[in-house]
Structure formats: C-alpha cells, structure tokens
Amino acid sequence: MPARHPRLDPLADRYAARTHGMKSSEIRALFSVVSRPEVVSLAGGMPAVTALPLDAVGSMIGELVSGMGAQTLQYGSGQGDPRLRERICDVMALEGITDASPSEVVVTVGSQQALDLVTRVFCDPGDVILAEAPSYVGALGVFQAAQARVQHVAMDDDGLVPEALEDALVECRARGDKVKFLYTIPNFHNPAGITLTEERRAKVMEIADRYDLLVVEDNPYGLLGFDREPMRALRARDAERVIYLGSFSKTFSPGLRVGWVLAPLAVREKLVLATEAQVLCPPSLTQYAVARYLDTQPWQQQIKTFIELYRERRDATLESLAALMPPGTTWTRPDGGFYVWLKLPDGLDAKLMQPRAVSAHVAYVPGIGFYADGQGKEYMRLSYCYPEPDQIREGVRRLARVVEAELDLHTTFGAVDTGRFRAVRPATPQVPAVEPITGPASSDQVGDQP
Amino acid sequence: MPARHPRLDPLADRYAARTHGMKSSEIRALFSVVSRPEVVSLAGGMPAVTALPLDAVGSMIGELVSGMGAQTLQYGSGQGDPRLRERICDVMALEGITDASPSEVVVTVGSQQALDLVTRVFCDPGDVILAEAPSYVGALGVFQAAQARVQHVAMDDDGLVPEALEDALVECRARGDKVKFLYTIPNFHNPAGITLTEERRAKVMEIADRYDLLVVEDNPYGLLGFDREPMRALRARDAERVIYLGSFSKTFSPGLRVGWVLAPLAVREKLVLATEAQVLCPPSLTQYAVARYLDTQPWQQQIKTFIELYRERRDATLESLAALMPPGTTWTRPDGGFYVWLKLPDGLDAKLMQPRAVSAHVAYVPGIGFYADGQGKEYMRLSYCYPEPDQIREGVRRLARVVEAELDLHTTFGAVDTGRFRAVRPATPQVPAVEPITGPASSDQVGDQP
Ligand SMILES: Cc1ncc(COP(=O)(O)O)c(C=O)c1O
Ligand SMILES: Cc1ncc(COP(=O)(O)O)c(C=O)c1O
C-alpha cells in the first residue's frame, strides 16, 4: 500500500503535460501589492467602472431578475442569447463589420474565453501561433496552456511590421512548422499602446491571403480611440480569413465577463461545441444585462465619457513622463486604449527594478511577461486607465526617481553585479533582434510618432 | 495563390485533433424540439427557478450593482471572491466536509467549468478516466474534448459497484493504462437517479486508497434529498484523495453559473492557473449575488421548498410510470435529485423511438448519450424537475402509448427491419456486459430497492 501523503504535492507526477508549463503571470504576482492603498498602481488594466451610471444599471439589472427570472436565472443556449448576439452585430458595425450575422456570433465569458476556445479548436501541441512582440500576456497564457509555440513578429509605431510577418511565415514554412494563425491586436495594443495603420492593415491582409493565413483579431479597445472614429476592422476586409474577438469589458463592465467571437459558420459550430464542453453556457443574467443595457441605456454616450476620462489620464501620463523621465527612457504614445509601453535606459531591467519601485510605492508590469521567449527585460507596461490623473502624476514622479536611482547605480557600478540591485541570477543581456518601438524621451507631443 | 473558399469548410484540415472528435450531445439536438409549448419535455435538467423569491433576489442584485458597482462590475481574482469561498465552506459542512478552507476552494463558471479544469490539469490524450455506466453527458463531453478515454464501471441500485471498480483498476493496470481519476456522482446520479450507499462509500474509498486512485466527486444534487439528511460526502472521508465539485445551479440558480471545486492546495494552485488562462476570473456580479443570497436570504428554507416541489414531481413520475408503462419496462426510484432512468422492454431502442415520441409530443433523452462506448440504446433519461405534476402525468401517458405502439410493431415484425421504425443503420444488438440497474415495472413503491 503506497504511503498517503509522502511529498508536498503527492500528485506531482500525475498532472498533464500542459500543467507543468503553467506559471503565474507577471500581473498576478502584483495583485497583493497593488491593492495596498499607499501604492499607485500603473500595473492593472482595470477599467474605470465607477464612471458608469451605477444606479440606473442597478435598477435595470434588478428588474431583469424580478421580471424575467425564469429566463435570467435559468440555463441558456451554449452559443449565447440571440437578442444579445443581434446587438453585438450592431456594435461591430461601428468598426465597419456590416455583414456579420448573429448566427456567426458566440457569446463567451469575456474575450479571454474566446481566445481559449479558438486556440483549443485549432491548436495541437507544437503548432505555431504568430503574435506581435510584445503581445497580450493573457493570450500567451492560453497559447502556453495549449502547448502551442509562439513566434513573435516585430512591431513598430505603425503596428505589426508586414515584412517581419512575411519573414516569419517564410521561416516557419522552411522549418515545416504548422502555423495555425496570426494573433493580433490592431487597436491600442496591449501592452504596446500602438495602432496598426490603415496602410499596414491592407498589407497584413494581403500577406494573409497570399500565405493562406488565418487571422485572429483581438479587439477589446477599438471603440476607445481618443482622436478619431474607430478604424475599419481586419474582419471588415475578409469575412472568411479573420476570426474576430470582442468584449464588453472595456466599454461597459469586465465584472459581467461578456465577450464574443465572430467566426465563419463552420468554425462557429466548433466553437459552440467547445464552449458547451467548457461551461455549458455563458451566464444568462450577465448576457441579459448587457443586451438590456445596449437596448435602454445611452451606451454610445457612455463610451464618449470613458474616452474623455481615459484621454485625460493618458495626457497626465505622457506629460509627466516627458517632464520627469531621465534621458534614454522612451515610450509609446497611445491615441486610445489603456497602455503606455516604456523602454528603460540601456542596461536597466524592469523586473529587477520592481522591488525598488514597490518600496517607492509605485507598481507597473515588467515587460518580460509580454513575450513568450524571455525578451523584454528593458520594457514595462504602464496602465493609465484606473488611477486618477493626480495619482498618475505622483506615480510617474515616484517611478522617475526609481529609474534615476537605478541609473546612478548602474553608472557607478557598470555591469558589475553589486548583489544589491541585481537578483540572484545575474541578468544576461538579451537584446531583441528587432527593437523598433521607441519615442523621444523629452517630447510632450502626443499622437502618432514615427 | 490558393483558392479562397474552395470547400464548405475551408478550414477543415486546420483544426486540432481534439476538434474532430467533438460532436453535439443528445441533449442539445433536442433543444429546438422541447421548447415547443405542445411538447411535454422530460428531457432537460432545468431547475424550477420560478420557485425562487424573484422580487427579493431582484432587489438584492440591483442593490449590489448600485451600491457596490466598483466591485461587482470590476474584474476579480481568478480564484474567486473570498467571501463567497467562505460561504461555500459553510454549504459543504452540511455534507460533513468540516475541514475545508476557503483557500482550497476555486470558484468556477458552473461546476461544468470545474470538470473541465480538473480534466485539463490531469489528463493528457490517451489517459483513462473511470466513470459510472451511465455517466453525466456533460462530463463525457469534457473527457472527449481532452482526448481522454473513458472506462465505464457498472452501477446497480446501490450505486457504483465496488467489485466492478476493482476489476476495472486491475484491468487498466494490466493494460498499462494511466488511470487519472474516478469520476463519480454519488448522490441522485445524473442520469441514473441512484445514490451510493453508506457501505459502498466506505468500500469505494478503501479501494481508492489501496490503488492510490484519485476521486473526482461531482455533487450538484447532494442537498436535494427527499427522505433524509444529506449523506456524508466522499471528500469528508479523505481530504487528499478526493477533489470535490459543487454547484449553485440546482440549489439556487443555473443562470448565474456559479460552481466550485475543492482541492488540496497543490492542485488548487494548478486549477487557479488553468482558470486564469481560460476566463481570467469568474463573473464578479454573479459571485456577489450568490454570496449575498447566502448571507441575507433564507436559502436553507428555499432548498426545502425545492425539495417539496421536486418530491411531488418525482411522485407524479413514478406513480404514472407504474400505472401506465407496459410490462418489461423498468426504471430507477430516485430519492432526490432530478432524474429517473428507464429501461425499455427487450428489443426497443430509445433513440430510434425518439421521432415517434416527439410526434406524440413528449421528449426524453436517449440513453446512448450517457455512455462513452455506444451502450445504452435501451435506456432513456426522464427529468421531472421542470414540468408541473399534471404535465408529467400527461407526458408519461404519451410516452407509455409510444412504447406500447413500438412494442406492438416489434412483436409483429420481430427483428425484421421494417424500414419504418428502424433508422437507416440497422440496430446491432449491443447488450452491456453488466446490466444491473433495474426495478420492477409494476410497482408504485418508492425508495431504495435492491
Ligand atoms: C488584448 C486583450 N485581449 C483580451 C482581454 C481579455 O478581456 P476580457 O476577457 O475581460 O474580455 C484583454 C484584457 O485586458 C486584453 O487586453
Ligand atoms: C452531474 C452533473 N455535474 C455537473 C453539472 C453541471 O452543472 P453546472 O455547470 O450548472 O454547475 C450537471 C448539470 O446538470 C450535472 O448533472
């Protein structure tokens, strides 16, 4: 008879192969820290939900339960509420997707579940997914759980670099890799804060066509542009080649966890089977809440309110960075969404610097979490979506002081490991092959930059 | 340049291996049919949510949004709301689980997601899962999506047969199969309506111990017993060997999709990583709703209300079956939960009979969906949870007539395929190796039966 509890994890040898690769994300490790009130968190991507008309939304949802409990508290269909799927088509029309049918939409538990479903439907272990460098940390987690391999494709201030995409495809073909899809975030990229230009969109789709490449377009931020109307989605250019993911997390509420995927019918059918196996059906109440919200509340006006609020925070961020960051620091200039992607002066490491930043009561997400291959040590993501402008200014002030102190140490000790600001494992300098995301450090100009 | 839309599904050759095995469940195929008002549906497992105090629940949830929108509409932790996890421990204490800590609980999107997470964490393709014959169709879907193989273990009116379990383990060992866990539904089994006896529980756990077998205890119905206090959970007998799945779908509301898994800390850690990759976090609003419901509403009294309602419906079902079903038909006698498992007279096939039943305006779920290996043709699942007693009586009356007609045809034409009541593919008689679930057809006695 085997001993009952012989080791710390008596089941360690029973997990699936995929389980051994699972690890906590950089963001999760920060959770306990950023919730302390004295810390200014530029780390999380939490939307400013208190800007919503909470009383109106509250009574709306309360009535949905009192008046329609037989539906809102009951199981629903795996594909999602038909009424909501219709309204989702209206929302997508704002980005030029005018031919979508509710039958091609699957409602998901946030667009995160959409990502997971698409990946499970397409990817066997070892398959390759192309993704921007950097890419959304949550997507990398999904890809890793599916034991897919990520090949990064460079981006610059205009978004994904078409030549780099083509190079990657040629390389993968030569190696015999099975490339299942390109995963891309064309608008207000997480974490890079960059938007794919009109011209690049055409080029990317032309390459996709030429290489018969499937494109997964992840677009939670598309309606949150500060300066102009939403851009035309990739999906608006090709209904067969593009699988589109959307979310109400940033335009309404993430706590309801309502996202969706729009896919050609054959793929949609697979996605429905996959989601039924995973959750049976998405929550009914939250779906009714979103549909009713779109039906009865001024949701487009609310998005404008969010935009003004985020624009102000973006401005506070960029102005403070320009005023306070030491030379050699560069960053992107988002014209929508939640994030600024910052590059530290040469030789600094955002992950190693993190304990100092936390001691100085400011938090960010180190860049390495946004790469599948260990790149990104010199980067960090700053989120301006949640803190108030004054907090943002204070946070950037603290961060600038930390970077300066780090820079002083670095200048004094050079590459010598002092044992004080380097972690146990000495940092091996790992410069990414392409390094195009930059912006002048001492400019307060806002908007697109070469 | 490859042609753009050459085939019906131009992506057919790109799916993952697991996707090719996905197929619609027997239950889903019935969805459109059972929603027609003239059909008495004994098919779905939808709880009677209108028995809830909808006004009270509505204003409770409305207030959660108006008063706590900053939390209820925001992202939460992947593991789930700490307050809810505490209350979940109180709920589990009703089944003798008194040592559970909130830190060992992971909140999931229904217990369906819990099933999926556990399976993903443990199972590689080809791994073996032991499960009762029959077993929950949704679990079989999860196991198939994970490309795990299911080895069925016989059950009788006392539940899982310990000797059959041991035989299966010996067989698997001899074959070199990697058995990852036993999946079992000890209380008011779906679909069999059977409860594992106290004596059997001890035996099953003794075998699990002897063979170092992990047990996944799926228990959505445990508090819905008609005749006595809840039985002691398997998890109450062994905290290390049993992973326990629970749900508020049957005791409160399935439309909120709140379930949970209780697992040893090391496993819990893996489950949290897996759920973060899948959905980031469960919906905040629905978690707060359940926690507040448990905090402020008479939920134990409400469960008693549900029990009375389901008992009445169970009685209507069993009485009608006893009065109306032709000899040779047998069925189980549930003393809790939602389901009766019915065996047709020799030679009849529940799946082939289905179109006739639907024409006669009664629906059930054919038995084959509850087996991974094509068994179960002579069985059907009848759910009494949703229709009113009068509808149930009418439904059973219609069903009895269909069975009688089918029996007449069968007696007249014998094994001859008339082409009228047999499908294209002639039914190959496939008798399960063990066939112990029976009950006298002409008895109206209710309760445990040998
Ligand atoms: C690019 C991107 N995709 C997907 C998600 C997932 O969002 P949700 O699951 O809340 O819709 C996020 C969240 O931050 C994101 O930034
Ligand atoms: C045995 C069993 N397990 C799990 C589930 C899934 O329930 P839920 O995901 O609603 O908690 C069900 C639903 O019918 C069930 O019968």
Side-chain angles (χ1 to χ4, degrees):
Chain A
M1 189 151 70
R4 295 262 315 263
H5 317 308
R7 285 153 302 165
L8 200 56
D9 182 359
L11 301 172
D13 53 355
R14 307 216 187 162
Y15 297 124
R18 73 176 70 84
T19 305
H20 297 292
M22 287 179 185
K23 58 182 194 336
S24 245
S25 87
E26 293 296 324
I27 294 179
R28 180 158 165 233
L30 288 171
F31 263 8
S32 53
V33 165
V34 302
S35 58
R36 275 154 44 195
E38 67 274 21
V39 174
V40 173
S41 174
L42 303 169
M46 295 197 300
V49 291
T50 47
L52 287 165
L54 296 180
D55 282 337
V57 176
S59 40
M60 184 197 85
I61 295 180
E63 280 160 28
L64 279 173
V65 174
S66 324
M68 297 181 62
Q71 291 81 44
T72 57
L73 298 183
Q74 189 56 275
Y75 287 114
S77 97
Q79 190 177 354
D81 176 47
R83 175 85 192 124
L84 174 60
R85 287 189 275 116
E86 269 174 37
R87 299 313 318 267
I88 283 172
C89 290
D90 299 342
V91 172
M92 291 189 293
L94 299 177
E95 301 184 283
I97 302 173
T98 51
D99 62 342
S101 142
S103 65
E104 296 168 320
V105 173
V106 182
V107 180
T108 54
V109 182
S111 56
Q112 185 72 27
Q113 195 211 357
L115 258 171
D116 188 64
L117 292 174
V118 170
T119 306
R120 281 175 90 171
V121 161
F122 283 101
C123 295
D124 286 310
D127 285 349
V128 169
I129 296 168
L130 303 179
E132 284 123 3
S135 187
Y136 168 52
V137 59
L140 298 181
V142 169
F143 302 155
Q144 186 186 50
Q147 297 164 274
R149 290 178 293 142
V150 171
Q151 164 118 8
H152 281 297
V153 179
M155 64 192 305
D156 62 19
D157 287 341
D158 289 340
L160 191 71
V161 179
E163 295 71 30
L165 174 62
E166 187 154 9
D167 288 352
L169 283 163
V170 169
E171 212 179 283
C172 287
R173 281 207 173 164
R175 269 203 307 262
D177 287 343
K178 276 199 193 157
V179 177
K180 285 301 172 83
F181 53 79
L182 164 69
Y183 167 72
T184 180
I185 308 160
N187 296 312
F188 321 124
H189 190 277
N190 179 0
I194 278 172
T195 296
L196 191 65
T197 61
E198 192 64 40
E199 198 194 333
R200 290 266 177 101
R201 284 175 199 235
K203 278 199 186 148
V204 166
M205 290 315 298
E206 184 271 318
I207 292 170
D209 217 37
R210 196 141 40 81
Y211 285 82
D212 195 16
L213 175 68
L214 203 63
V215 176
V216 175
E217 176 177 28
D218 188 13
N219 189 29
Y221 305 101
L223 298 181
L224 295 176
F226 303 147
D227 302 321
R228 55 176 171 193
E229 292 301 296
M231 286 179 76
R232 227 170 130 236
L234 299 177
R235 166 59 179 73
R237 293 154 212 264
D238 191 329
E240 294 298 319
R241 194 169 291 298
V242 180
I243 295 175
Y244 176 98
L245 314 186
S247 175
F248 290 103
S249 286
K250 321 291 169 164
T251 52
F252 179 27
S253 152
L256 302 180
R257 311 298 304 117
V258 180
W260 72 90
V261 48
L262 171 71
L265 276 181
V267 178
R268 187 271 301 170
E269 182 55 25
K270 307 292 183 194
L271 293 169
V272 172
L273 292 170
T275 194
E276 285 175 346
Q278 208 169 87
V279 299
L280 289 183
C281 60
S284 301
L285 178 61
T286 55
Q287 292 184 79
Y288 275 88
V290 173
R292 181 63 62 93
Y293 176 77
L294 296 173
D295 274 343
T296 65
Q297 305 287 315
W299 61 276
Q300 303 217 40
Q301 197 46 51
Q302 179 62 40
I303 289 179
K304 292 214 176 85
T305 305
F306 278 132
I307 286 175
E308 286 319 306
L309 185 144
Y310 294 134
R311 183 213 304 280
E312 198 190 342
R313 293 176 186 191
R314 186 268 322 255
D315 289 348
T317 310
L318 293 182
E319 283 161 19
S320 306
L321 286 171
L324 299 167
M325 276 293 155
T329 320
T330 59
W331 55 86
T332 57
R333 279 160 189 74
D335 48 11
F338 286 9
Y339 310 107
V340 167
W341 185 236
L342 181 143
K343 183 168 182 291
L344 291 170
D346 277 357
L348 298 200
D349 180 317
K351 171 95 186 203
L352 296 179
M353 200 178 85
Q354 200 177 18
R356 282 175 192 279
V358 169
S359 305
H361 293 168
V362 60
Y364 55 81
V365 184
I368 50 166
F370 302 94
Y371 295 86
D373 58 3
Q375 288 182 59
K377 289 196 168 54
E378 64 280 39
Y379 289 98
M380 65 175 66
R381 189 190 75 179
L382 303 179
S383 310
Y384 50 79
C385 45
Y386 194 69
E388 310 265 344
D390 277 350
Q391 291 178 288
I392 292 176
R393 282 184 270 268
E394 177 57 26
V396 173
R397 195 170 302 129
R398 293 174 189 171
L399 183 62
R401 260 188 251 123
V402 172
V403 175
E404 271 167 359
E406 196 79 356
L407 210 49
D408 277 354
L409 274 174
H410 190 75
T411 323
T412 313
F413 295 98
V416 179
D417 184 350
T418 64
R420 287 166 61 208
F421 67 105
R422 294 290 171 204
V424 185
R425 196 160 44 97
T428 46
Q430 196 158 2
V431 184
V434 188
E435 188 188 7
I437 301 175
T438 54
S442 52
S443 152
D444 58 2
Q445 201 192 326
V446 166
D448 281 1
Q449 282 285 340
Chain B
M1 189 150 72
R4 296 258 323 258
H5 317 308
R7 284 153 303 165
L8 202 58
D9 183 359
L11 302 170
D13 54 353
R14 309 217 186 160
Y15 297 124
R18 73 175 69 81
T19 305
H20 297 291
M22 287 181 186
K23 58 179 195 335
S24 243
S25 86
E26 293 296 323
I27 293 178
R28 181 162 163 231
L30 288 172
F31 263 7
S32 53
V33 165
V34 303
S35 58
R36 277 155 40 195
E38 68 273 21
V39 174
V40 173
S41 175
L42 304 169
M46 296 197 299
V49 290
T50 47
L52 288 165
L54 296 179
D55 282 336
V57 175
S59 42
M60 182 197 87
I61 294 180
E63 280 160 29
L64 279 173
V65 174
S66 322
M68 296 181 65
Q71 293 81 44
T72 57
L73 298 183
Q74 191 55 277
Y75 287 114
S77 98
Q79 190 178 353
D81 175 48
R83 175 85 191 124
L84 174 60
R85 288 189 275 116
E86 268 174 37
R87 298 312 317 270
I88 284 172
C89 290
D90 299 343
V91 173
M92 292 189 292
L94 299 177
E95 301 184 281
I97 303 173
T98 51
D99 61 344
S101 143
S103 65
E104 295 167 320
V105 174
V106 181
V107 180
T108 54
V109 181
S111 57
Q112 186 71 27
Q113 196 211 357
L115 258 171
D116 188 64
L117 293 173
V118 170
T119 306
R120 281 175 91 171
V121 161
F122 283 101
C123 294
D124 286 310
D127 285 350
V128 169
I129 296 168
L130 304 178
E132 284 123 3
S135 187
Y136 168 52
V137 59
L140 298 181
V142 168
F143 302 157
Q144 186 188 48
Q147 298 164 273
R149 289 178 295 144
V150 171
Q151 163 117 11
H152 281 297
V153 179
M155 65 191 304
D156 62 18
D157 287 341
D158 289 340
L160 190 72
V161 179
E163 295 71 30
L165 174 62
E166 185 154 10
D167 288 351
L169 283 162
V170 170
E171 213 178 282
C172 287
R173 281 207 173 164
R175 270 204 305 265
D177 288 342
K178 273 198 194 161
V179 177
K180 284 302 171 83
F181 53 78
L182 165 69
Y183 167 72
T184 180
I185 308 160
N187 295 312
F188 320 124
H189 190 275
N190 179 0
I194 278 171
T195 296
L196 190 66
T197 61
E198 190 64 41
E199 198 194 335
R200 289 267 176 100
R201 287 175 196 235
K203 277 200 185 145
V204 166
M205 290 314 299
E206 183 272 318
I207 293 170
D209 216 38
R210 198 142 39 79
Y211 286 81
D212 195 16
L213 174 69
L214 203 62
V215 176
V216 175
E217 176 176 30
D218 187 13
N219 190 29
Y221 306 100
L223 298 181
L224 296 175
F226 303 146
D227 303 320
R228 54 178 170 192
E229 291 302 297
M231 287 179 76
R232 229 172 127 235
L234 298 177
R235 166 59 180 73
R237 292 153 213 263
D238 191 329
E240 294 298 319
R241 192 167 294 294
V242 181
I243 295 176
Y244 176 97
L245 315 187
S247 175
F248 291 104
S249 287
K250 322 291 171 167
T251 52
F252 179 25
S253 153
L256 302 180
R257 312 299 304 120
V258 181
W260 73 89
V261 47
L262 171 71
L265 275 181
V267 178
R268 187 271 299 169
E269 182 56 23
K270 306 292 182 194
L271 293 169
V272 171
L273 292 170
T275 194
E276 285 174 345
Q278 209 168 90
V279 299
L280 289 183
C281 60
S284 301
L285 178 61
T286 55
Q287 293 183 78
Y288 276 89
V290 173
R292 181 64 61 91
Y293 177 78
L294 296 173
D295 274 344
T296 64
Q297 306 287 316
W299 63 275
Q300 303 218 39
Q301 196 48 51
Q302 178 62 41
I303 290 179
K304 293 214 175 86
T305 305
F306 279 131
I307 286 176
E308 286 319 308
L309 185 145
Y310 294 133
R311 183 215 304 279
E312 199 191 341
R313 295 176 185 193
R314 187 269 322 252
D315 289 348
T317 310
L318 294 182
E319 283 160 20
S320 306
L321 287 172
L324 300 166
M325 277 291 155
T329 321
T330 58
W331 55 87
T332 57
R333 280 163 188 71
D335 47 11
F338 287 9
Y339 310 106
V340 168
W341 185 235
L342 182 142
K343 185 169 181 289
L344 291 170
D346 278 355
L348 299 200
D349 179 318
K351 170 97 185 198
L352 296 178
M353 199 177 85
Q354 200 178 18
R356 283 175 188 279
V358 169
S359 307
H361 294 167
V362 60
Y364 55 81
V365 185
I368 50 166
F370 302 94
Y371 295 86
D373 57 3
Q375 287 183 61
K377 289 196 167 52
E378 64 281 38
Y379 288 98
M380 65 175 66
R381 188 191 74 178
L382 303 178
S383 310
Y384 51 79
C385 44
Y386 193 70
E388 310 265 343
D390 276 348
Q391 292 177 287
I392 292 176
R393 281 184 271 268
E394 178 56 28
V396 172
R397 196 170 303 129
R398 294 174 188 171
L399 183 63
R401 261 188 251 123
V402 172
V403 175
E404 271 168 1
E406 195 79 357
L407 209 50
D408 277 353
L409 274 173
H410 189 77
T411 323
T412 312
F413 295 98
V416 178
D417 185 349
T418 64
R420 288 167 60 208
F421 67 101
R422 292 290 170 202
V424 185
R425 195 161 45 99
T428 45
Q430 196 159 5
V431 184
V434 187
E435 190 189 5
I437 302 174
T438 55
S442 53
S443 153
D444 58 2
Q445 201 192 328
V446 166
D448 282 0
Q449 282 286 340

